[in-house]
Amino acid sequence: MREQVKSVLARVRSKPPNILKALLALQERLGHVPTEAVSEIASALGVTTAQVAGVLSYYPDVRLTAPGRHLIRVCMGESCYANGCGRLLRELQDRLRVDVGETAAGGKFTLDTMSCAGNCAVSPTVMIDRDLYGRLLPSQLDTLLERYK
Amino acid sequence: MRTVTRLYLSNDTSARAAGAGVLADAWSEHPEVQLIRISSRGAFYLEPMVERDSPAGRVAWFNVTAQDLPLILSGTDGTPVRSIPFLAQQTRVTFANFGETEPLALDEYQARGGLSGLETALRIGPDAIIEELQVSQLRGRGGAAFPVWNKWKVAQQARADQKYVVANADEGDAGTYCDRMILEGDPFRLLEGMLICARAIGAGRGYVYCRQEYPGAAKTLRAAIQKADEAELLELDGEPFPIEVVEGAGSYVCGEETALLESLEGKRGVVRARPPYPAQSGLYGSPTIVSNVLTFATIPNILSRGGAWHAALGTERSRGTMALQLGGRVKHPGLVEVPFGLSLHQILEQFGGGMAPGSRFKAVQVGGPLGSLFPASQMDIPVCYDVFAKAGAVLGHGGIVVYDHETDMVDLARHFMAFTADESCGKCTPCRIGSVRGREILERIQAGSGTIEDLALLHDLGDTMKVASLCALGGRAPYPVLTAIEHFPAEFRAKLRT
């Protein structure tokens, strides 16, 4: 993993250094940003470990642990709220037997929420990896989840 | 010989989420179909919508499934697009290309008047561009509604080695999606607006800060930038004007302009105290224009048709058109571009088509998660900046979400405050601590252990957050909560401990 970290960091070096870009590039490669890599990132970018740790802890989408093979995000925006996203979330929690932020047994799905997917006109919305599903009914969840291996 | 029919199908993310992607897959190998993937008209309640040419213009089929293909190919039961009331009653200016063109076809963009605003800008020069914007009375469409010409003038007059143009594509207000539509559906319009701005203020570099939740938008925009570059459009006065797409990482407050700049620099997305304003000292301390995507996309038409044309639309202090985005329990959710000044009632009835089947109206929220709630008795309010400001409300980025009779107002208020508590950047105390305390009070009321003093406490807390927060997140967070209490007091009182 150290080699991977090194090669990614070599690619995103810039002046002035951009910590968030470096973290997102690492996440793109590794699926998450390992906390063990903080000091290495700091020295590669020429910033302090506190600066790196600060950025790392700030952004909801920079992950400290690897998610499951598929990331399910239930949109909690107001249009989705009005259209019953709360029920969708509860159904998913029950089906996957996880709470928000957790990965289901077997490592297939990680369940999370998002504040708005910009899909308000066909809400409620669930985003799986990079794909959006709209006008979702709880009864459609089983068929939807089956599509993911 | 077999005839091939050209069918138009939207490639917009929401159209795909409604089933357009499934149709495209099902028909991809069909020998009789040539599928053209266009932008969406924004009539999302009709998506997936399939169109074909006819002597009298496009004809459409609504809520199409793969089995409808024979019907469409035989040409039966289609509806002429121009007779769809939802679209026919709009004033499509910024969104005129939607549903008509392929998003990445630069020649189509140009054939429909694209780039003529930039041509004008290059010809008349910086001072005249800013004058035209002053005549137009365009105000920023991202939420703050600041006069655009004024901001540009400040940046133009600032002396600096480098200046930047930054498009805010961090469209985080729940209930809004018009920026996403522009990024995915008419990306050259945004680039043209940014180039005009760069020409006016003398900027050498552009950025689009795009939220991570919009992967499709970032991809289309990057492809558009490459096409524009190949067409040698990304240069001004013989100097390159590179535009880079930078993706965010899920922070709502990064849609606030100073937090956005911090994030663009790779730091924690924490709000900066203003002044200095970004137009004076922005990205890396250089003069920077940060404007929302819709604002930039509105500018090409102003340059090509003239500021007076724009100023002739709308109301006294809100000129032009506004892209309103309908969502929630309305029958016809979708994008509505109309001149400012129509009442909320008109918008929801004429365009929204009333309530979704089985739903009764309870309240409507305008302006995203920080916007005020309006009950049925206030539906006559005209949609424009000044009247909204007088009512203590905001238009924000034009999101309109309708709640129905099943909505629990106490839970909704808790939902709002929990959102702010989650998204607060933490820099100022009223927002950081206030939002958490507010959420706790509302959780208490929801659990049945709140008291009448808790409601008074919420008002006090709200007043403090309104006046003492550094940015609009903390400053606006109390509004949806307090308007919920104001208009639905019985629901809150019913849950109090006696």
Side-chain angles (χ1 to χ4, degrees):
Chain A
M1 192 176 74
R2 260 196 93 193
E3 286 311 304
Q4 281 178 310
V5 171
K6 267 200 176 131
S7 79
V8 171
L9 290 175
R11 208 156 39 75
V12 296
R13 213 161 277 167
S14 65
K15 213 175 174 184
N18 191 305
I19 301 170
L20 179 58
K21 240 184 207 177
L23 297 182
L24 289 176
L26 274 173
Q27 177 156 287
E28 178 85 29
R29 173 75 74 85
L30 304 171
H32 71 298
V33 181
T35 35
E36 309 90 81
V38 166
S39 60
E40 188 148 355
I41 299 166
S43 71
L45 298 179
V47 297
T48 67
T49 51
Q51 283 173 304
V52 176
V55 175
L56 189 56
S57 63
Y58 185 81
Y59 291 96
D61 292 326
V62 180
R63 298 181 166 271
L64 301 177
T65 52
R69 291 198 294 287
H70 302 290
L71 177 61
I72 303 177
R73 292 190 288 179
V74 181
C75 180
M76 304 304 283
E78 274 67 44
S79 185
C80 288
Y81 180 100
N83 280 302
C85 66
R87 246 183 82 207
L88 273 183
L89 181 63
R90 280 193 299 278
E91 295 269 350
L92 279 166
Q93 285 172 315
D94 288 349
R95 273 181 174 72
L96 301 171
R97 296 202 187 91
V98 290
D99 212 341
V100 173
E102 293 177 352
T103 299
K108 187 168 161 186
F109 293 115
T110 297
L111 182 64
D112 216 336
T113 56
M114 64 197 297
S115 55
C116 181
N119 196 41
C120 324
V122 295
S123 55
T125 299
V126 167
M127 190 171 187
I128 305 185
D129 301 331
R130 292 165 87 88
D131 292 319
L132 280 187
Y133 300 93
R135 297 180 191 144
L136 262 187
L137 301 169
S139 60
Q140 295 170 316
L141 285 173
D142 282 334
T143 328
L144 178 61
L145 294 184
E146 273 166 26
R147 281 195 228 165
Y148 290 84
K149 299 287 173 223
Chain B
M1 209 179 92
R2 178 182 278 136
T3 52
V4 175
T5 307
R6 182 196 289 241
L7 299 183
Y8 302 91
L9 175 67
S10 172
N11 199 28
D12 174 276
T13 293
S14 281
R16 279 189 279 122
V22 177
L23 287 187
D25 288 345
W27 298 347
S28 63
E29 304 286 310
H30 207 286
E32 287 173 77
V33 173
Q34 184 199 0
L35 209 52
I36 313 284
R37 301 305 296 273
I38 52 173
S39 47
S40 173
R41 293 189 189 274
F44 287 108
Y45 64 102
L46 302 175
E47 295 280 6
M49 176 163 150
V50 175
E51 300 176 22
R52 58 180 285 182
D53 292 310
S54 85
R58 297 259 192 95
V59 176
W61 286 261
F62 310 140
N63 303 116
V64 174
T65 61
Q67 292 74 37
D68 294 333
L69 187 59
L71 189 79
I72 296 168
L73 289 179
S74 69
T76 34
D77 293 343
T79 305
V81 169
R82 64 173 64 131
S83 73
I84 302 170
F86 179 88
L87 295 169
Q89 296 175 53
Q90 298 193 29
T91 305
R92 286 289 178 100
V93 178
T94 305
F95 288 83
N97 285 349
F98 283 75
E100 298 289 336
T101 57
E102 288 180 82
L104 290 171
L106 185 55
D107 53 340
E108 286 181 43
Y109 178 67
Q110 229 168 329
R112 295 175 59 89
L115 300 183
S116 55
L118 178 61
E119 274 164 36
T120 307
L122 296 178
R123 194 180 63 243
I124 64 178
D127 290 331
I129 297 172
I130 292 173
E131 237 162 75
E132 211 59 58
L133 282 174
Q134 187 170 5
V135 171
S136 80
Q137 299 185 51
L138 174 68
R139 298 169 69 172
R141 299 289 194 244
F146 194 75
V148 172
W149 73 270
N150 204 335
K151 202 149 113 173
W152 287 23
K153 186 102 191 158
V154 171
Q156 187 211 8
Q157 288 176 342
R159 291 179 174 275
D161 295 337
Q162 180 65 289
K163 297 180 187 178
Y164 299 101
V165 175
V166 176
N168 182 348
D170 194 50
E171 186 176 51
D173 276 358
T176 67
Y177 44 84
C178 72
D179 288 352
R180 182 186 58 66
M181 287 180 67
I182 294 168
L183 297 162
E184 293 182 3
D186 207 10
F188 296 117
R189 189 167 301 276
L190 165 65
L191 299 182
E192 186 179 352
M194 291 177 72
L195 281 158
I196 293 169
C197 177
R199 169 71 177 150
I201 68 164
R205 241 191 134 76
Y207 291 94
V208 181
Y209 185 89
C210 185
R211 63 202 298 255
Q212 166 283 139
E213 293 85 343
Y214 285 179
K219 190 177 161 200
T220 304
L221 188 61
R222 286 197 174 104
I225 289 171
Q226 181 160 359
K227 289 218 164 185
D229 194 27
E230 284 162 9
E232 296 177 1
L233 290 173
L234 301 185
E235 48 188 70
L236 293 165
D237 296 329
E239 295 288 323
F241 180 76
I243 299 178
E244 186 187 340
V245 180
V246 175
E247 283 180 83
S251 162
Y252 171 76
V253 80
C254 286
E256 192 282 335
E257 60 178 4
T258 61
L260 183 150
L261 294 173
E262 289 287 303
S263 184
L264 205 48
E265 292 179 13
K267 302 172 189 161
R268 288 166 70 91
V270 173
V271 173
R272 295 176 186 170
R274 292 170 297 184
Y277 291 91
Q280 305 160 297
S281 172
L283 189 63
Y284 302 115
S286 297
T288 304
I289 290 298
V290 185
S291 276
N292 156 266
V293 168
L294 177 60
T295 309
F296 281 120
T298 304
I299 287 165
N301 274 323
I302 292 176
L303 268 292
S304 63
R305 303 188 191 190
W309 159 81
H310 184 264
L313 295 163
T315 66
E316 178 64 29
R317 299 199 54 218
S318 309
R319 305 298 175 110
T321 61
M322 183 63 188
L324 301 167
Q325 301 128 81
L326 308 187
R329 296 300 295 162
V330 70
K331 192 172 174 192
H332 297 162
L335 179 103
V336 177
E337 184 180 7
V338 284
F340 286 97
L342 269 68
S343 73
L344 265 183
H345 176 82
Q346 278 175 305
I347 286 159
L348 293 182
E349 288 302 319
Q350 207 171 314
F351 297 98
M355 295 299 289
S359 278
R360 291 194 306 278
F361 180 90
K362 186 157 188 180
V364 58
Q365 184 179 25
V366 183
L370 309 175
S372 303
L373 290 170
F374 296 88
S377 60
Q378 294 184 350
M379 297 301 284
D380 290 336
I381 189 168
V383 173
C384 58
Y385 295 121
D386 24 337
V387 180
F388 264 61
K390 268 191 206 131
V394 284
L395 270 187
H397 186 46
I400 298 183
V401 175
V402 177
Y403 298 98
D404 73 3
H405 63 286
E406 288 189 14
T407 309
D408 172 346
M409 285 295 157
V410 179
D411 186 63
L412 183 61
R414 180 208 54 78
H415 172 85
F416 292 139
M417 220 22 129
F419 171 78
T420 303
D422 272 352
E423 299 293 347
S424 175
C425 82
K427 181 149 178 169
C428 71
T429 317
C431 179
R432 183 184 66 243
I433 308 288
S435 59
V436 175
R437 293 293 170 260
R439 187 194 63 201
E440 288 168 354
I441 295 170
L442 285 158
E443 281 171 351
R444 207 149 63 219
I445 297 172
Q446 179 70 322
S449 53
T451 63
I452 193 84
E453 285 81 36
D454 279 329
L455 288 183
L457 199 54
L458 270 178
H459 277 101
D460 280 357
L461 180 71
D463 288 343
T464 306
M465 289 177 73
K466 283 180 193 175
V467 296
S469 297
L470 257 186
C471 82
L473 177 54
R476 287 289 322 172
Y479 285 88
V481 175
L482 295 180
T483 48
I485 299 174
E486 180 190 343
H487 302 310
F488 303 94
E491 285 193 41
F492 286 81
R493 283 203 212 105
K495 292 203 171 169
L496 297 180
R497 184 158 50 93
T498 45

